[in-house]
Amino acid sequence: MFETFLIQPIYNLFVALVGVMPQGDTGLAIIALTCLMRLVLYPVFTASIRTQMGMTAMQGDLDALKEKHKNDKEALAREQMGLFKKHKVNPLAGFGALFIQLAVIIALYYALFNEGFPVINTALLYSFVSAPAVVSTGFFGILDLLTPHHIILAILVGASQYFAIQLTLGRTPTAQKLQPDKAAVQQMQQRMMLYLMPAVMAVTSYYFAAAVGVYFVTSNLFSLGQEWLIRRQLQK
């Protein structure tokens, strides 16, 4: 099922994109594929961002409910559900976006590297998709997408991830609005997320094929634009 519903469709879309790119540039096809997938998943990520912003907006109400019903778990759960409904918040939306993105990344990696690319596996192609006449794994002729250890690309991955996380942290309440103990925990978590995650992503991109790094940079830049657009719409 994973191959039928995820790997094969992504593989066919990727092969079709390679066929229309200049000189069959695989790097351009990865960028186009990433943007297309993010556009398809735009409603999912919008719901996730909307939920996180809604949780921030009602944080004070949640804290008041926890204090009011600290000895009545059932009443607390009932009041919380009512608060979620009032603010049109789905607590599971964030997990859904994370799960879908992880599944797509795995499927993309399998489609590119498990099928012997750049050799096209015609057995996986749909009848209306033709194998491209030319396939180039050199991104603009300067970056071999099938080889690892590209330090500049790894730095770009880390930097774009840093700015994407920094913008994401703007959804959380400021430390001044929280109790001292919660503020200290939040600041520690934010520092870990802001510096550790970009470092992990940069190291991962360095040791994986450059195609993975191109995907991460494109996805991070798309996330930056999407975050700005959705937050602007929701603030209106």
Side-chain angles (χ1 to χ4, degrees):
M1 289 180 63
F2 185 74
E3 180 171 321
T4 301
F5 294 109
L6 274 176
I7 295 179
Q8 192 171 6
I10 290 177
Y11 187 77
N12 277 266
L13 178 58
F14 179 68
V15 169
L17 288 171
V18 170
V20 299
M21 294 299 164
Q23 286 79 48
D25 195 312
T26 304
L28 292 176
I30 290 175
I31 292 174
L33 178 63
T34 305
C35 292
L36 284 173
M37 290 192 298
R38 292 301 300 264
L39 284 173
V40 171
L41 297 173
Y42 188 84
V44 178
F45 286 95
T46 300
S48 174
I49 294 174
R50 187 189 301 273
T51 292
Q52 292 176 9
M53 292 183 70
M55 293 291 287
T56 299
M58 65 182 187
Q59 187 62 50
D61 294 334
L62 282 173
D63 290 340
L65 285 178
K66 290 177 182 178
E67 181 64 27
K68 179 181 177 181
H69 300 292
K70 58 183 177 181
N71 296 321
D72 190 344
K73 301 284 188 182
E74 185 176 341
L76 175 60
R78 186 170 57 251
E79 292 282 351
Q80 282 181 332
M81 291 304 297
L83 196 59
F84 292 153
K85 187 177 295 185
K86 175 184 175 182
H87 287 269
K88 298 180 180 180
V89 165
N90 179 7
L92 300 179
F95 294 102
L98 181 63
F99 174 78
I100 291 175
Q101 186 174 19
L102 182 61
V104 168
I105 291 173
I106 294 174
L108 178 62
Y109 191 83
Y110 267 83
L112 292 182
F113 300 106
N114 200 50
E115 301 303 333
F117 199 81
V119 177
I120 305 299
N121 185 352
T122 55
L124 284 179
L125 296 183
Y126 298 138
S127 59
F128 53 86
V129 176
S130 302
V134 179
V135 178
S136 173
T137 59
F139 189 27
F140 288 113
I142 59 175
L143 180 66
D144 187 354
L145 295 168
L146 298 182
T147 61
H149 305 151
H150 297 279
I151 185 66
I152 295 178
L153 181 61
I155 292 173
L156 289 175
V157 170
S160 60
Q161 186 72 51
Y162 173 86
F163 288 114
I165 292 176
Q166 190 177 51
L167 189 59
T168 299
L169 292 177
R171 305 185 209 135
T172 60
T174 59
Q176 289 81 4
K177 297 180 181 179
L178 299 175
Q179 299 174 2
D181 56 337
K182 292 184 178 181
V185 173
Q186 185 200 70
Q187 289 177 345
M188 182 182 66
Q189 291 174 340
Q190 288 184 349
R191 281 197 298 268
M192 289 182 61
M193 183 182 296
L194 188 59
Y195 297 109
L196 182 61
M197 180 64 84
V200 170
M201 297 298 291
V203 172
T204 301
S205 301
Y206 180 76
Y207 285 102
F208 275 78
V212 176
V214 172
Y215 169 82
F216 281 141
V217 171
T218 305
S219 184
N220 289 336
L221 293 177
F222 194 100
S223 294
L224 284 168
Q226 176 181 268
E227 179 86 19
W228 176 84
L229 180 61
I230 293 174
R231 288 175 64 174
R232 185 177 178 183
Q233 292 173 343
L234 293 180
Q235 285 169 359
K236 287 183 179 180

